[in-house]
Amino acid sequence: MRKCMQKGEVNTFFRFMGLMGDRLPVYLGAILVSTLGDAGRRIANSYLIKNIVTAAQDRNTDNVLLPVLENFVVFVVCLLLWRFGIIRYNIEGRKGAGKVEKLVFSKAMRLPMSYYENNHSSDFMSRLIFDTQKASDIYTSRLRRLLAAIISTIVYLIPMFYFSWELTLCMIGISLLVFAVDSFFAKPLKKAGSRLSDKNKIMLEKLTSILSGMELIKIFPVGAKLTAEYETTGREYFQIQKSTNRLSAGLESLNQMFDLIGALAFLGLGIWFVSQGRVSLGALTALYSLYGTFRNAFLEIGQYLPQMMNCIANAEKIFAFIDMDEEPEQWEQESAQDSCHDSMTDTKDEIMLSVRNVSFSYDCAGDSGRKVLEQFSMEVKKGSYVAVVGESGCGKSTLAKLLLGFYPVESGSMSIGGKEYQNFTLKGIRQQIAYVPQEPYLYEVSIAQNIAYGRCGASREEVVLAAKAANAHEFIIRLPDGYDTVLGERGNTLSGGERQRIAIARAIIRDAPVMILDEATSALDNESESLVQEAVKKLRGDRTILMIAHRPSTIAAADVVIRVGV
Amino acid sequence: MVKAGLRNGYMLLLFIIFSVVLNEIILLGNDLIAQAADGVMGGQQVDFEAFMTPLLRMIVLGTAAAYLKGIFSNHYSAMVQRDVRASLGKHLVRLPFSYFDEMGSGSIITRLISDMDELGRFFSEILPNLLVNLIVVVTATIYLVQMDALLIVVLFASYPVMLIVADRLSKKLAQIAQKLRTHMDECNKKAYDAIQGIVIGRSYNLYEVQKKEIDTVIDRKVDQACRSTRISSMGWVLKNVITTIPVIVCYLFALYETMQGRITVGEMLAFTVVLSRILYPIGDIVFCANDIREAAVSLRRIQEIYNQKEEQTGGRVQTLPDCSKDLPAIEWNNVSFGYSSSGDHPVLNGMSFGIETGEQTAFVGGSGEGKSTIFKLLCGFYDRDNGQYRLFGHPFEEWDLEAARSCFSEVSQNVFLFPGTIRQNVACGKEYATDEEVVMACRNANIHDFIIQLPDGYETIVGERGVRLSGGQRQRISIARAFLKDAPILLLDEPTAAVDVEAEQKIQEAVERIASGRTVIVIAHRLSTVRNAKRIYVVNGGKIAESGTHRELMERRGIYAEMYAKG
């Protein structure tokens, strides 16, 4: 089996099996037990037939009943063995599949920020759902099917040789031909599989566009165009399916041909052998009944091998995903610093945030190399309330992202609380900052949970307090389930201002020394804005607040105004 | 869905025909061998050549039949999937907006993906499998009846028991499958949620918390799956025991019939061979019900989407009335609306107002007072619960929805940008927009200069949520779209929030340009921006609390004046 696989695939396969860890021996053992149970029951059946046909041929029924009973007992024992194995196997397989899923999902959360900004998130959906499902099929069905086919093929050969070695050899000859044909088909089928999966991804992206852009579709005449695009991709998918179908039907029919050759020609040959007295009719019938299952098992190798290959292609994609660079613990390490404490030094340093000569550009297609920030410097005193202003697109939001460590700076340096950024882990930096982004995301959990995400282990009282401070309490308790209201996707049933206030409550509960609000009050009306402003002011204490803003009223409330611009 | 299955039914029919052909060939071969066996038993010599020639012919014909059978069944499945996809896409865009609000698109996507997979499996594996099995059993049964009718009676006598057991089991399994799918949905939704909100997740160090949550959901799913194998494997054991007993009885009965001389040894040989051939299909047919039930869960869920009522189309009013200039653009009388179907927590509570054609009207009020809801109702995204709504003099119910919506364009910062180029994103304002028109619209929207300074200009790809474009830029793209659409009514959401002074000027200019000659409805948060509106409605408690010009409202010293003093 392995011979016709490429080396890369073998490696992928072993690596994928390696993910099972300690469970692997139990898993493989369970496959073996269940297979032997299944094969045993079929062999018992063939002996049963042999006994009966021999009796008919000899016209002697005296010694029939006892062997029949014996065979039946063996049969039941084998079945129970099978069940024991299959349950164990399923448990281990499912757990393995769960492990893969955990691995992929957690990986998806650890990529560098640039990945999320450059990739359509249906990319993840496709990868996570389609590829993980297909790859996990290796654990939960594909491998067992293949191994079961191989093991039982071997097991069936033993009684078959015993019944008639000449005929069995003939069958092995036919089977080898089948094998050659199957491996000939394996590669193009695999290729077709990954083409299908690629097309599937595009189809998914189109579908996501339709679903997420629903509001636009309702107002602008794009619905027809988008569905047409979706349909076109669907049709292209269909075309690939069609050529794949021709391949698989070809394979199927060749297998059927060998099946026929086996069944008809072999039986014909068998009768000839019987007429020559080389085989008894009973043995021939038993051999034939076993040959049916042997043939099935053998053809299954041919069937399941390409399927397995397809799944390995999916596993390869998953590994490519898993092997991507993650966001590191910290961007650069100062060699002198052997250990970094994430707590801030408790110096009486007056400067909370310091940015010195920082340059930065997003290096991706589209705006390659355009410097978003060039030689930018600023200093923010502890406890001050700073408004960051500048033209749109000048890098205000980028500044916030750099401060949060979403990207490494190209040149220059930054410090927080008097401690250089490179002495912090990224996690440590983020502990110092409560951030409210421009478009705050609300998770599909309860409002209370959304706020509590701000700080691990926050109590309900603290959540309510924070909501009150953010001027959100009033509207939350008016909702049907109050704080336990589960938000629909992207908090659709709340207005922009309401969502923003929940996000602000989340930032408030974080209780971090620095608070960065990226146009956080922009979607609020005058009244709620002034209330939030008040809340923010009340909260100040020692906190340093960085407010990216446009409104004169926001800017007016600040102690200091910093202008960003190239 | 069923329609797609039937429309392509001729493929299925061809598949059935070739399956029958294949089976008949096999049975013919079997006959040949049984005769030869009897001949051997009777002491005749076998004429090897005369025996092999028909066999070889059968092999060739059988191979051809198998190929065609495979082609037709696979094509059938692919064609049905293609048709379902196509009609589903068309259907989705016609569903009411509220459906997407309620379902959340993440769950719809996973549903569609995995259910389409299952649908594909149903048409490519389950259905052909069932048919092949049926064909094998029926043809073989006919063959056996011709040999000895009693044998068949014995064989099938014990099957009712099996049917009952199988039925019970498969019901149980279907329940489990449904549960498992719900767990899978949950799992995918959770992961999707975490990735959509990655900015928050990252900045609040939520990785561990969210990982734990996702892991818990996965574990729950695995548990569910393990529980289901216990039950299904027991089912298989039962199935095998139940199928084997009648077979043993059959063998013994066949032996008895042979001893009685009612059938020859050759026939008995043929019988055992054919019996072993149909044993598996017979058991499988009964248990196919399992597969079908499992697939039915998916099929039903796709059907559920189909069954969602589409937004009504048609309607008396298909185009804008000629006299529209003289009619009030919009009249609302006592309109009530709440998002929950139970009628609790109404957002709008008996709201009445009128908007004159060609004038600028503004809505102001606290957040959460339902200003955005007014827009959603105006565009017919939701149906109001009570009250009258007239658009250009015609009751809204009489309008064709599409025609009604063609009266509106919306300008807002929260516009959705499709993954694609800027050009495509602007061009969606109008069907068949030419490149010149797109550029013109962008010039008018004051975004052209920004676009051409991008390295790829109009071909710049914007991301899923337009990550790289600021709110102001996105707003201007939405203005450009509105220019292309050229609708009589302009809905302006938060026109000047969150942009800096220079951009604000550019946007203001563009807004003024597009507003001229149109009916403009503004949702405003900055009271300073609505001073010039012909009429201002103050929304409070789901009703219009005050209305008038800026001056009138200031003199009234009511809610508006208070808000203005604070702002």
Side-chain angles (χ1 to χ4, degrees):
Chain A
M1 169 190 80
R2 298 279 146 72
K3 251 185 245 161
C4 53
M5 280 196 196
Q6 300 290 318
K7 202 171 173 209
E9 277 146 10
V10 176
N11 287 341
T12 305
F13 173 73
F14 281 124
R15 188 174 164 199
F16 195 73
M17 292 319 292
L19 292 180
M20 274 227 163
D22 298 343
R23 299 184 178 284
L24 194 58
V26 180
Y27 173 77
L28 292 175
I31 290 181
L32 187 67
V33 169
S34 68
T35 308
L36 289 180
D38 196 47
R41 124 188 120 83
R42 289 174 200 273
I43 292 172
N45 188 54
S46 75
Y47 270 93
L48 183 83
I49 292 172
K50 180 175 183 274
N51 288 332
I52 287 175
V53 174
T54 309
Q57 198 185 359
D58 299 347
R59 306 241 159 221
N60 178 5
T61 51
D62 297 344
N63 297 321
V64 166
L65 279 177
L66 191 65
V68 166
L69 208 65
E70 272 171 20
N71 284 328
F72 187 69
V73 171
V74 172
F75 170 82
V76 172
V77 169
C78 283
L79 263 182
L80 292 176
L81 206 61
W82 172 83
R83 178 169 189 256
F84 168 76
I86 210 79
I87 288 176
R88 199 70 244 160
Y89 152 79
N90 260 303
I91 289 172
E92 299 303 335
R94 295 283 185 173
K95 281 190 175 154
K99 204 170 162 190
V100 173
E101 229 169 0
K102 286 177 187 174
L103 200 67
V104 176
F105 284 157
S106 69
K107 174 73 189 187
M109 291 193 283
R110 287 199 313 266
L111 298 165
M113 282 314 282
S114 54
Y115 188 84
Y116 304 104
E117 301 206 346
N118 295 335
N119 287 281
H120 199 282
S121 74
S122 85
D123 214 38
F124 292 101
M125 290 301 288
S126 166
R127 245 187 249 281
L128 294 180
I129 297 166
F130 189 78
D131 288 338
T132 310
Q133 245 172 36
K134 290 273 167 181
S136 316
D137 276 356
I138 295 179
Y139 288 158
T140 53
S141 62
R142 303 298 180 196
L143 182 68
R144 187 188 69 84
R145 286 186 191 176
L146 190 61
L147 284 185
I150 294 169
I151 295 169
S152 36
T153 305
I154 296 165
V155 172
Y156 293 145
L157 280 176
I158 299 165
M160 281 166 74
F161 267 110
Y162 170 75
F163 289 138
S164 160
W165 63 269
E166 297 105 319
L167 287 172
T168 306
L169 276 183
C170 280
M171 275 178 316
I172 293 175
I174 293 173
S175 305
L176 284 177
L177 273 175
V178 179
F179 196 87
V181 169
D182 283 350
S183 27
F184 178 74
F185 273 86
K187 217 174 174 185
L189 269 175
K190 190 199 152 198
K191 223 190 205 161
S194 59
R195 266 170 78 208
L196 276 177
S197 144
D198 285 349
K199 235 340 151 219
N200 189 57
K201 207 162 91 182
I202 299 174
M203 230 159 54
L204 208 62
E205 195 174 290
K206 303 271 183 219
L207 190 62
T208 316
S209 287
I210 293 178
L211 292 172
S212 335
M214 198 44 76
E215 190 168 341
L216 213 64
I217 287 174
K218 295 286 178 201
I219 293 197
F220 290 106
V222 280
K225 201 180 138 223
L226 287 174
T227 40
E229 275 180 20
Y230 177 62
E231 230 184 293
T232 315
T233 338
R235 221 172 281 128
E236 281 163 16
Y237 186 76
F238 170 68
Q239 290 305 331
I240 303 177
Q241 262 184 331
K242 249 168 95 173
S243 57
T244 313
N245 286 348
R246 256 173 242 125
L247 267 180
S248 54
L251 181 61
E252 216 177 296
S253 66
L254 284 176
N255 279 333
Q256 188 75 53
M257 182 178 87
F258 288 115
D259 175 13
L260 282 169
I261 292 177
L264 303 180
F266 160 73
L267 260 187
L269 214 63
I271 293 298
W272 193 52
F273 271 30
V274 172
S275 74
Q276 308 244 315
R278 272 195 243 174
V279 190
S280 79
L281 198 58
L284 181 68
T285 320
L287 185 57
Y288 178 72
S289 82
L290 208 50
Y291 170 65
T293 39
F294 168 82
R295 176 205 60 207
N296 278 346
F298 205 91
L299 289 189
E300 270 168 8
I301 299 178
Q303 241 175 50
Y304 293 145
L305 192 62
Q307 285 179 1
M308 180 84 170
M309 298 297 225
N310 279 344
C311 290
I312 290 177
N314 292 103
E316 247 166 55
K317 280 188 190 163
I318 285 194
F319 280 131
F321 183 73
I322 286 178
D323 292 339
M324 273 193 303
D325 283 336
E326 291 175 12
E327 181 178 81
E329 291 252 309
Q330 57 192 122
W331 288 119
E332 49 190 278
Q333 218 158 351
E334 206 150 84
S335 46
Q337 205 85 19
D338 44 359
S339 73
C340 47
H341 301 282
D342 283 342
S343 59
M344 281 195 296
T345 38
D346 207 22
T347 52
K348 293 279 171 270
D349 204 334
E350 278 301 291
I351 304 298
M352 190 63 193
L353 286 171
S354 157
V355 176
R356 294 173 299 271
N357 299 322
V358 162
S359 297
F360 179 76
S361 62
Y362 294 100
D363 43 329
C364 65
D367 42 10
S368 47
R370 192 167 67 92
K371 284 264 187 287
V372 184
L373 288 174
E374 193 151 22
Q375 296 289 312
F376 178 79
S377 300
M378 70 166 193
E379 278 192 342
V380 176
K381 281 197 187 127
K382 200 173 196 170
S384 58
Y385 183 164
V386 180
V388 179
V389 299
E391 276 177 48
S392 73
C394 69
K396 298 187 299 285
S397 297
T398 305
L399 177 65
K401 287 175 188 170
L402 289 179
L403 284 170
L404 282 159
F406 285 174
Y407 296 93
V409 296
E410 264 164 34
S411 62
S413 62
M414 298 191 292
S415 68
I416 186 166
K419 191 169 157 183
E420 289 301 312
Y421 260 49
Q422 60 262 41
N423 296 340
F424 275 106
T425 60
L426 291 177
K427 205 174 156 190
I429 290 168
R430 288 165 193 160
Q431 252 156 26
Q432 315 303 329
I433 300 174
Y435 176 54
V436 182
Q438 212 164 354
E439 251 187 280
Y441 186 81
L442 298 185
Y443 293 101
E444 288 185 53
V445 292
S446 69
I447 290 184
Q449 181 67 52
N450 256 298
I451 297 174
Y453 272 150
R455 186 157 44 88
C456 218
S459 69
R460 179 53 75 97
E461 286 72 40
E462 288 170 310
V463 167
V464 174
L465 271 179
K468 278 182 176 158
N471 195 24
H473 180 71
E474 289 300 310
F475 81 79
I476 295 173
I477 54 170
R478 274 206 312 250
L479 292 170
D481 298 320
Y483 279 89
D484 297 316
T485 307
V486 174
L487 299 166
E489 196 183 47
R490 299 196 66 202
N492 262 341
T493 51
L494 294 180
S495 76
E498 288 165 342
R499 278 161 45 194
Q500 213 140 25
R501 278 181 281 170
I502 290 176
I504 290 170
R506 180 158 61 194
I508 288 171
I509 209 169
R510 184 152 189 78
D511 198 21
V514 178
M515 200 165 183
I516 299 178
L517 298 99
D518 190 352
E519 321 211 334
T521 55
S522 63
L524 302 187
D525 52 75
N526 293 22
E527 197 176 329
S528 6
E529 193 205 334
S530 55
L531 283 168
V532 169
Q533 293 273 19
E534 261 169 47
V536 171
K537 269 187 191 163
K538 254 190 287 173
L539 270 169
R540 271 178 74 178
D542 302 346
R543 283 190 194 79
T544 310
I545 295 169
L546 210 66
M547 181 87 104
I548 294 170
H550 298 109
R551 286 187 185 177
S553 57
T554 320
I555 298 167
D559 307 337
V560 188
V561 175
I562 291 176
R563 177 162 281 280
V564 183
V566 182
Chain B
M1 200 166 53
V2 179
K3 254 190 264 163
L6 291 178
R7 195 171 336 115
N8 299 305
Y10 65 97
M11 288 299 237
L12 198 62
L13 198 69
L14 286 167
F15 155 74
I16 291 172
I17 290 172
F18 285 108
S19 298
V20 173
V21 169
L22 183 62
N23 267 294
E24 288 299 332
I25 289 172
I26 291 167
L27 289 175
L28 275 175
N30 217 45
D31 248 359
L32 212 63
I33 288 160
Q35 282 162 16
D38 275 341
V40 170
M41 299 308 291
Q44 293 171 10
Q45 265 303 326
V46 178
D47 181 357
F48 198 62
E49 241 166 77
F51 182 61
M52 285 313 262
T53 327
L55 278 184
L56 280 176
R57 204 179 302 139
M58 282 172 191
I59 287 165
V60 173
L61 280 176
T63 307
Y67 179 74
L68 292 168
K69 168 193 145 201
I71 281 278
F72 287 124
S73 82
N74 289 341
H75 273 23
Y76 175 68
S77 144
M79 281 160 86
V80 172
Q81 282 182 71
R82 177 198 59 186
D83 289 359
V84 169
R85 261 196 306 267
S87 61
L88 205 59
K90 280 197 193 106
H91 180 69
L92 279 174
V93 294
R94 286 198 209 108
L95 286 179
F97 189 72
S98 50
Y99 179 70
F100 298 96
D101 254 11
E102 282 158 25
M103 299 293 304
S105 67
S107 125
I108 293 183
I109 294 172
T110 45
R111 204 175 253 221
L112 280 178
I113 299 161
S114 64
D115 289 346
M116 286 297 284
D117 235 32
E118 189 68 17
L119 180 83
R121 214 173 68 82
F122 174 77
F123 283 108
S124 67
E125 285 175 32
I126 299 172
L127 185 63
N129 233 350
L130 177 69
L131 290 172
V132 164
N133 287 338
L134 271 175
I135 290 165
V136 169
V137 171
V138 169
T139 47
T141 307
I142 293 170
Y143 175 80
L144 290 179
V145 164
Q146 288 166 351
M147 200 186 294
D148 187 342
L150 264 179
L151 274 175
I152 288 301
V153 176
V154 174
L155 180 62
F156 283 104
S158 49
Y159 275 95
V161 184
M162 193 165 135
L163 275 171
I164 293 166
V165 174
D167 186 61
R168 282 260 176 93
L169 260 168
S170 53
K171 262 186 200 145
K172 183 97 194 157
L173 285 175
Q175 275 172 14
I176 293 168
Q178 168 88 52
K179 250 193 214 155
L180 203 57
R181 294 232 144 231
T182 322
H183 279 293
M184 268 166 76
D185 274 1
E186 180 89 4
C187 201
N188 295 334
K189 204 168 101 183
K190 201 87 203 165
Y192 192 54
D193 198 29
I195 284 160
Q196 290 270 293
I198 192 74
V199 171
I200 296 291
R202 208 40 72 85
S203 42
Y204 285 79
N205 292 332
L206 292 178
Y207 171 70
E208 263 97 34
V209 181
Q210 289 183 325
K211 179 164 167 41
K212 211 182 282 166
E213 286 177 3
I214 293 175
D215 286 359
T216 315
V217 182
I218 294 176
D219 285 339
R220 228 182 296 151
K221 184 177 82 175
V222 169
D223 277 354
Q224 183 67 36
C226 291
R227 219 169 308 145
S228 76
T229 57
R230 277 178 198 285
I231 296 172
S232 61
S233 66
M234 199 57 228
W236 277 95
V237 170
L238 272 178
K239 173 198 162 177
N240 274 301
V241 173
I242 295 171
T243 42
T244 305
I245 291 170
V247 171
I248 294 176
V249 175
C250 265
Y251 284 150
L252 292 175
F253 184 74
L255 179 61
Y256 171 75
E257 293 279 273
T258 321
M259 300 302 278
Q260 298 292 311
R262 271 192 278 265
I263 55 176
T264 66
V265 176
E267 276 173 331
M268 181 181 165
L269 182 69
F271 172 75
T272 40
V273 167
V274 173
L275 193 63
S276 68
R277 234 191 128 72
I278 63 171
L279 262 186
Y280 177 74
I282 284 184
D284 217 37
I285 287 174
V286 180
F287 279 80
C288 262
N290 277 349
D291 275 345
I292 290 176
R293 280 221 177 90
E294 272 176 49
V297 175
S298 284
L299 300 193
R300 208 175 303 134
R301 295 205 316 184
I302 293 184
Q303 196 62 46
E304 238 170 63
I305 296 183
Y306 267 108
N307 290 347
Q308 281 298 318
K309 258 231 216 88
E310 292 188 356
E311 283 183 325
Q312 103 250 7
T313 51
R316 201 170 56 80
V317 188
Q318 295 279 355
T319 51
L320 209 56
D322 283 341
C323 51
S324 61
K325 280 271 178 287
D326 314 320
L327 289 166
I330 286 159
E331 287 166 285
W332 270 23
N333 194 0
N334 223 359
V335 168
S336 299
F337 174 75
Y339 285 101
S340 62
S341 48
S342 56
D344 299 341
H345 307 280
V347 184
L348 304 181
N349 203 352
M351 182 173 276
S352 306
F353 61 81
I355 288 167
E356 295 302 320
T357 305
E359 283 188 357
Q360 181 165 356
T361 310
F363 287 90
V364 299
S367 77
E369 292 286 359
K371 295 185 307 269
S372 312
T373 308
I374 296 176
F375 274 16
K376 286 185 183 169
L377 260 66
L378 281 176
C379 295
F381 289 164
Y382 288 90
D383 266 343
R384 61 205 180 282
D385 298 334
N386 278 308
Q388 286 94 48
Y389 167 18
R390 281 170 175 277
L391 179 63
F392 290 113
H394 292 285
F396 194 73
E397 307 76 71
E398 291 181 11
W399 276 85
D400 174 61
L401 257 184
E402 211 171 297
R405 282 181 189 146
S406 71
C407 299
F408 296 96
S409 20
E410 190 179 4
V411 168
S412 116
Q413 286 191 336
N414 290 325
V415 294
F416 178 75
L417 296 178
F418 293 105
T421 65
I422 291 186
R423 181 191 306 284
Q424 288 166 341
N425 263 291
V426 173
C428 74
K430 181 184 173 188
E431 270 178 295
Y432 317 115
T434 64
D435 287 357
E436 290 74 40
E437 282 174 316
V438 168
V439 172
M440 200 57 214
C442 288
R443 275 184 202 280
N444 280 325
N446 276 344
I447 184 89
H448 175 75
D449 291 341
F450 166 76
I451 296 172
I452 53 168
Q453 62 128 77
L454 293 171
D456 294 326
Y458 277 90
E459 307 309 323
T460 305
I461 306 278
V462 285
E464 182 189 19
R465 290 192 282 158
V467 185
R468 278 298 155 68
L469 295 185
S470 72
Q473 287 152 355
R474 262 183 288 173
Q475 178 152 14
R476 278 178 281 164
I477 286 190
S478 82
I479 294 176
R481 276 178 187 163
F483 265 114
L484 275 180
K485 188 174 179 189
D486 197 22
I489 304 177
L490 185 68
L491 304 176
L492 214 55
D493 188 7
E494 304 177 315
T496 55
V499 262
D500 50 86
V501 183
E502 198 190 331
E504 184 165 336
Q505 258 170 11
K506 282 184 189 162
I507 292 170
Q508 197 56 40
E509 235 175 70
V511 166
E512 271 161 28
R513 216 174 279 151
I514 190 161
S516 74
R518 279 174 233 273
T519 309
V520 181
I521 306 172
V522 187
I523 289 183
H525 306 296
R526 319 261 74 199
L527 296 188
S528 57
T529 60
V530 301
R531 286 177 71 159
N532 300 327
K534 271 276 164 53
R535 187 180 282 273
I536 299 167
Y537 287 110
V538 181
V539 181
N540 195 7
K543 286 191 171 80
I544 302 294
E546 295 172 8
S547 74
T549 61
H550 173 70
R551 181 185 296 243
E552 284 163 9
L553 287 170
M554 287 306 283
E555 279 167 8
R556 218 182 129 148
R557 299 190 177 283
I559 302 172
Y560 182 82
E562 203 181 306
M563 282 167 73
Y564 196 81
K566 273 191 190 162

